[in-house]
Amino acid sequence: MNYYDLIIIGGGLAGLTAAIHLKQAGFNILLVEKNEYPNHKVCGEYVSNEVKPYLKSLGIPLDKIPYADINTLELSTHHGDSITTKLPLGGFGISRYALDQQLYETAQKEGVVFVFDLATSINFIENQFTVKTSKNHEFQSKWVIGAHGKRSIIDKSLDRDFVNRKSAWLGVKCHYELDNFPNDVVALHNFNGGYGGLSKTENGLVNFCYLATYDSFKKYKDVHEFNSQVVSRNPHLERFLQHAKPVFKKPISIAQISFDKKAPVENHIIMCGDSAGLIHPLCGNGMAMAIHSAKIAADCFIAYHTKSRHLLEQRYSKAWKKEFTSRLWMGRQLQHVLMNEARSKIALKTLTKSKKLLQFMIKRTHGKPILV
């Protein structure tokens, strides 16, 4: 049986970032990830500039990736009434295919050990974790970080509250070719039963990723019909889908997306990214928040792992809640408004008359640059 200083379950943004950070701090790190790199994931693929200083401090060569530099937000209601404003902090557009691969290559160079296998259980007995996988591997460590995403077999094995409740949401993503889409804009467009984001990625393609409720989607036979019958009722999305050329053979999707609250620590496992609470699309962006949560977890581990488990868990939970609770709350409130056609029209008119209010809401849903 192999022993490590810390085991990370899940190799998305949070897992990879935490692995790099902790390996650079001198720890023996194992990362268990079910899929090999690179691969596409359902994701908005817009990253707030708040994490740039942190990524650069880890040696991530962002300057070698021709990402889209984004500084403008466009927001529209179901009927296409829209407002545009500058983003106070800005961000960059990059695909998960490219960013995850870059993080993986960096982690490999640092010496992080990777096992490409599905983690099926995490048992905590006598102050020790045993991680088992689908290929009958077993690994041990005193510490585990859970970065396994929105919903997994690990959540079921831990009997977390949200896994027993059926989710009302699904996500759909596809990349498109469209020459005249602006490089500096991230757009959030609403439609009946959902909302979607548009932004450029590092290769000049436009990422279109949206969330839709099952109730609105189940009436149609597939994504193409849903796009033409529902999504396209927003005139901005109608024009996009008419003129853009899909690059994927078919869109990728993910089901059972839950926005239920989750505990930052579960059965002594330090939860990061979506495992700690699904990062709401209206909270700025999930990519930056997942990366930031990894920094919080790594910093807490470095500071408290030699003291006590209780203190480490307490400090991580407190730091996580301080950083993300208000952003998640604001995102939920915005969702309630924008998903209601009448309320969204009133809200947009109000925001049009007061750009200061819109700027305030953006700042409430985005973080500040991470100090390193």
Side-chain angles (χ1 to χ4, degrees):
M1 190 177 297
N2 298 311
Y3 188 88
Y4 294 87
D5 294 332
L6 183 141
I7 299 173
I8 299 173
I9 308 300
L13 295 177
L16 287 166
T17 306
I20 295 167
H21 189 148
L22 290 169
K23 185 60 183 179
Q24 290 178 352
F27 297 99
N28 186 22
I29 305 298
L30 170 69
L31 194 152
V32 181
E33 162 59 33
K34 62 181 180 180
N35 298 314
E36 295 193 22
Y37 302 96
N39 53 75
H40 288 286
K41 296 180 179 178
V42 176
C43 181
E45 300 187 332
Y46 160 79
V47 190
S48 167
N49 282 336
E50 65 193 80
V51 298
K52 261 189 180 179
Y54 176 50
L55 291 176
K56 289 181 178 179
S57 75
L58 295 178
I60 309 303
L62 291 176
D63 56 338
K64 295 182 179 180
I65 305 172
Y67 56 78
D69 193 7
I70 297 172
N71 56 35
T72 301
L73 169 69
E74 181 184 12
L75 180 68
S76 79
T77 64
H78 299 59
H79 293 296
D81 300 325
S82 65
I83 184 173
T84 301
T85 188
K86 289 293 181 182
L87 290 166
L89 188 58
F92 56 101
I94 184 170
S95 69
R96 290 294 301 275
Y97 191 91
L99 184 54
D100 285 20
Q101 178 66 18
Q102 187 60 70
L103 290 169
Y104 168 59
E105 291 176 1
T106 302
Q108 272 193 316
K109 290 177 183 177
E110 294 291 344
V112 174
V113 178
F114 283 83
V115 170
F116 292 103
D117 195 359
L118 176 65
T120 55
S121 67
I122 306 174
N123 296 311
F124 183 74
I125 301 174
E126 296 181 355
N127 206 35
Q128 192 85 6
F129 287 102
T130 299
V131 176
K132 296 182 180 181
T133 73
S134 62
K135 296 179 182 177
N136 297 319
H137 293 134
E138 287 191 13
F139 307 98
Q140 281 193 336
S141 176
K142 187 178 178 180
W143 306 95
V144 168
I145 287 178
H148 47 270
K150 301 172 180 64
R151 181 186 293 257
S152 80
I153 191 171
I154 293 297
D155 295 314
K156 293 180 180 179
S157 70
L158 294 172
D159 196 28
R160 302 182 79 187
D161 288 342
F162 72 93
V163 298
N164 299 315
R165 294 190 289 271
K166 189 174 181 180
S167 171
W169 294 91
L170 60 87
V172 177
K173 166 190 164 175
C174 188
H175 283 178
Y176 294 82
E177 292 179 348
L178 185 63
D179 292 337
N180 62 354
F181 190 91
N183 291 326
D184 61 346
V185 171
V186 57
L188 183 64
H189 299 301
N190 289 269
F191 54 85
N192 187 26
Y195 45 88
L198 294 168
S199 59
K200 278 277 187 77
T201 62
E202 77 289 342
N203 52 16
L205 298 176
V206 181
N207 179 47
F208 179 35
C209 185
Y210 65 78
L211 285 170
T213 62
Y214 276 110
D215 286 342
S216 63
F217 189 86
K218 67 183 180 182
K219 303 171 187 176
Y220 303 91
K221 63 180 181 180
D222 55 27
V223 171
H224 177 74
E225 185 178 1
F226 183 72
N227 286 351
S228 63
Q229 297 297 319
V230 179
V231 177
S232 292
R233 291 179 186 174
N234 181 308
H236 297 276
L237 295 176
E238 180 184 27
R239 286 193 295 271
F240 174 79
L241 292 170
Q242 282 181 346
H243 297 288
K245 179 182 177 181
V247 174
F248 297 169
K249 290 183 179 179
K250 62 178 182 179
I252 58 174
S253 61
I254 183 171
Q256 292 293 314
I257 298 177
S258 171
F259 290 105
D260 289 350
K261 293 181 179 179
K262 302 174 185 177
V265 178
E266 193 83 55
N267 193 33
H268 305 293
I269 301 168
I270 304 299
M271 298 294 185
C272 279
D274 290 342
S275 301
L278 185 61
I279 309 304
H280 204 287
L282 300 175
C283 294
N285 69 97
M287 294 173 74
M289 292 172 76
I291 291 168
H292 198 164
S293 72
K295 182 182 186 302
I296 294 171
D299 285 342
C300 286
F301 179 80
I302 293 168
Y304 302 110
H305 76 283
T306 59
K307 297 179 181 178
S308 76
R309 186 179 299 278
H310 174 73
L311 182 62
L312 193 158
E313 293 175 5
Q314 183 184 60
R315 293 299 174 88
Y316 175 70
S317 295
K318 183 178 180 180
W320 194 97
K321 291 175 182 177
K322 180 180 178 181
E323 182 62 38
F324 300 124
T325 297
S326 64
R327 293 170 71 173
L328 291 170
W329 180 87
M330 179 60 76
R332 293 187 184 98
Q333 307 316 304
L334 290 173
Q335 184 188 52
H336 291 323
V337 172
L338 294 175
M339 286 296 292
N340 181 282
E341 190 172 345
R343 286 198 297 259
S344 67
K345 290 187 72 173
I346 295 171
L348 197 68
K349 286 182 179 179
T350 303
L351 293 174
T352 303
K353 294 177 182 178
S354 176
K355 288 289 184 74
K356 288 185 178 180
L357 177 59
L358 180 56
Q359 290 286 310
F360 170 77
M361 292 176 65
I362 292 171
K363 289 178 180 179
R364 282 290 305 274
T365 56
H366 284 65
K368 297 179 180 179
I370 299 174
L371 299 176
V372 292

